[in-house]
Amino acid sequence: MNDTKTDEKYMAMALDLAEKGRGRTSPNPMVGAVVVKDGKVVGRGWHRKAGTPHAEALALDEAGEKAEGATLYVNLEPCCHTDKLTPPCSEAVIKSKVARLVVCTPDPNPKVSGKGLQALKDAGIEVTEGVLSERAARLNEVFFKYIRTGMPFVTMKVAQTLDGKIATSTGESKWITGPQARRLGHAMRNQADAIVVGIGTVLRDDPSLTTRLDGVENTRDPHRVILDSHLRIPLDARVLNAASDAYTYVATTLSASTHKMKDIKARNGHLLIVDEEDGRVSLPLLLEEVAKLGMTNVLMEGGARVNAEALKAGVVDKVAFFIAPKLLGGDDAKGSIGGKSPDTLDGAALIHDMRFSRVGDDILIEGYINKAGAAQGEPEDEGMEPSSDEAAKKKPAHKRRRRHRH
């Protein structure tokens, strides 16, 4: 086994350890670390939650004196700044007297970004970069987007028939997909920081928007964000009365009833008052606020209108379409993407890097939105409401406007 193969073997172990923190480290990245000496693993660690010890520190603590002269494998550049709850990992690495560091990618945080690696090199530690870098970048795609743009990573999740319908003409949608697909959908909720739906979904289905995974320990509910420009949410809605540690945020505008705002707050609801776009909550501005609250991984489970607005606003990063082997047909059945279609195919949202998997009797198609593609058509009226380590943030590309949080 040559050196490259050896490095890839142990880095794969570090990445597997990092994966254990999925859904629990926001707004921090997922990081795993492995200490190897004389061909044996003498220390392991992974970051479990923001504010807790980092992977490198845990792995080096386990290795103890055996770390001297060893090789440390870590998927992300060790941090070197003190503006956080935990000590700089670069200092711990230097003090451990490891001989070599192998890392997948530099940290995009400008407070680190090469400075941590340079500190190690200056201390005489050999540094090897770029091992399994593509896998590492995919692992922390949420963190990388957040740190570079100040915006959350948004996944649009859809359950539809083979002909693209999410509900019958009467609005019936339970259940289009089978139990295995629904369970995987709840697993996605378990990993998300927030779930976004439109008020139309709340009025039609009265969902709880909680995570339900029987037999799985340490599950959590994502925070619930309801798009409700005119505060039509019923005070007895499940999302306002669910027994959960997660918060319910109702995103609305200054034109909404102040009396209803008070009623919602009395129900332990939290208000996010966001500037309007065409009389509705601005999705880019809302997501900016969501990111400021530490929610970097957002699952969008809206209906046809919300999906159309999200695509038009360019806020979707990834799609996850669960497709059932069913055909509804009919112009009156609800399609997965509402609004008016673009005039030409050049206006279609382009998906790349697609992956396909079988989930029970259903098929899951996942892919990434090509942000260079053309914008979508205008949404049409469908009678539904449209819509911690502190990471350094950059100004989002969209125009900033006044925001209000209550």
Side-chain angles (χ1 to χ4, degrees):
M1 185 177 288
N2 60 40
D3 289 344
T4 299
K5 291 294 185 181
T6 299
D7 285 346
E8 290 179 349
K9 169 188 172 181
Y10 291 118
M11 188 59 77
M13 290 184 184
L15 287 163
D16 289 343
L17 286 169
E19 181 71 36
K20 291 175 177 283
R22 183 174 292 280
R24 301 298 183 268
T25 63
S26 285
N28 288 355
M30 290 175 278
V31 182
V34 175
V35 183
V36 179
K37 188 170 186 178
D38 299 328
K40 296 182 180 179
V41 175
V42 294
R44 298 178 179 85
W46 73 91
H47 186 44
R48 289 166 169 79
K49 184 179 180 181
T52 64
H54 287 190
E56 301 96 315
L58 292 170
L60 292 170
D61 283 347
E62 183 177 298
E65 294 181 355
K66 294 179 182 179
E68 184 173 354
T71 297
L72 171 63
Y73 292 86
V74 60
N75 59 292
L76 192 68
E77 174 183 10
C79 60
C80 58
H81 62 92
T82 57
D83 186 19
K84 54 189 179 62
L85 299 175
T86 53
C89 289
S90 58
E91 292 183 4
V93 174
I94 293 170
K95 289 180 180 178
S96 72
K97 298 182 180 180
V98 298
R100 180 171 177 247
L101 174 85
V102 182
V103 65
C104 298
T105 65
D107 190 330
N109 188 334
K111 294 180 180 179
V112 184
S113 194
K115 300 180 182 70
L117 295 180
Q118 189 59 52
L120 301 183
K121 293 175 184 177
D122 292 344
I125 296 174
E126 179 187 348
V127 175
T128 300
E129 302 177 51
V131 177
L132 300 185
S133 58
E134 291 186 7
R135 179 181 167 187
R138 179 61 55 83
L139 173 77
N140 274 314
E141 61 190 3
V142 172
F143 172 75
F144 281 18
K145 183 194 175 184
Y146 169 64
I147 215 66
R148 288 168 175 158
T149 69
M151 296 290 282
F153 187 93
V154 177
T155 300
M156 176 189 291
K157 173 181 166 291
V158 175
Q160 66 173 42
T161 62
L162 188 59
D163 56 341
K165 308 299 184 181
I166 61 173
T168 67
S169 59
T170 62
E172 182 183 355
S173 60
K174 295 181 180 179
W175 297 104
I176 284 179
T177 53
Q180 293 96 328
R182 297 199 298 275
R183 183 176 176 83
L184 182 54
H186 280 277
M188 294 171 68
R189 289 185 180 182
N190 187 41
Q191 297 173 355
D193 299 322
I195 179 172
V196 176
V197 302
I199 185 61
T201 297
V202 174
L203 294 175
R204 182 180 62 251
D205 300 333
D206 192 22
S208 61
L209 302 181
T210 55
T211 298
R212 299 182 294 280
L213 288 170
D214 292 340
V216 177
E217 296 182 357
N218 301 320
T219 61
R220 69 163 188 178
D221 296 330
H223 295 302
R224 301 168 286 271
V225 181
I226 315 300
L227 303 172
D228 190 2
S229 301
H230 306 295
L231 290 186
R232 294 191 288 153
I233 187 169
L235 295 178
D236 61 352
R238 290 182 183 178
V239 290
L240 288 177
N241 297 278
S244 172
D245 291 334
Y247 293 152
T248 294
Y249 293 91
V250 181
T252 190
T253 66
L254 284 174
S255 61
S257 165
T258 55
H259 180 73
K260 187 68 173 284
M261 291 182 187
K262 293 178 181 178
D263 289 340
I264 290 171
K265 286 193 269 188
R267 295 285 181 133
N268 295 319
H270 298 259
L271 292 171
L272 290 174
I273 302 179
V274 184
D275 281 357
E276 301 178 12
E277 285 188 6
D278 300 324
R280 304 180 181 97
V281 169
S282 166
L283 282 177
L285 291 175
L286 168 63
L287 291 170
E288 181 183 344
E289 289 299 299
V290 165
K292 287 182 178 180
L293 292 169
M295 294 176 270
T296 63
N297 188 5
V298 172
L299 187 63
M300 188 164 287
E301 293 192 17
R305 172 179 283 283
V306 171
N307 291 342
E309 290 194 342
L311 289 172
K312 178 177 178 286
V315 298
V316 180
D317 297 289
K318 183 178 181 180
V319 295
F321 277 64
F322 291 89
I323 301 176
K326 300 174 183 177
L327 298 171
L328 270 179
D331 294 334
D332 51 353
K334 305 295 184 183
S336 57
I337 310 295
K340 295 171 60 178
S341 67
D343 294 333
T344 67
L345 289 175
D346 290 339
L350 303 180
I351 312 297
H352 67 91
D353 198 13
M354 291 195 300
R355 289 175 288 174
F356 308 84
S357 56
R358 184 79 176 264
V359 186
D361 292 331
D362 306 311
I363 295 173
L364 171 61
I365 300 179
E366 298 174 280
Y368 295 84
I369 295 286
N370 184 351
K371 293 303 181 71
Q376 300 303 291
E378 297 288 340
E380 62 184 0
D381 185 6
E382 297 170 340
M384 295 172 61
E385 176 71 22
S387 43
S388 168
D389 289 358
E390 186 62 26
K393 302 173 186 171
K394 297 182 180 179
K395 181 178 180 179
H398 62 79
K399 181 180 178 181
R400 287 183 179 271
R401 302 179 187 174
R402 184 181 70 249
R403 280 86 60 196
H404 313 265
R405 185 161 66 240
H406 290 255

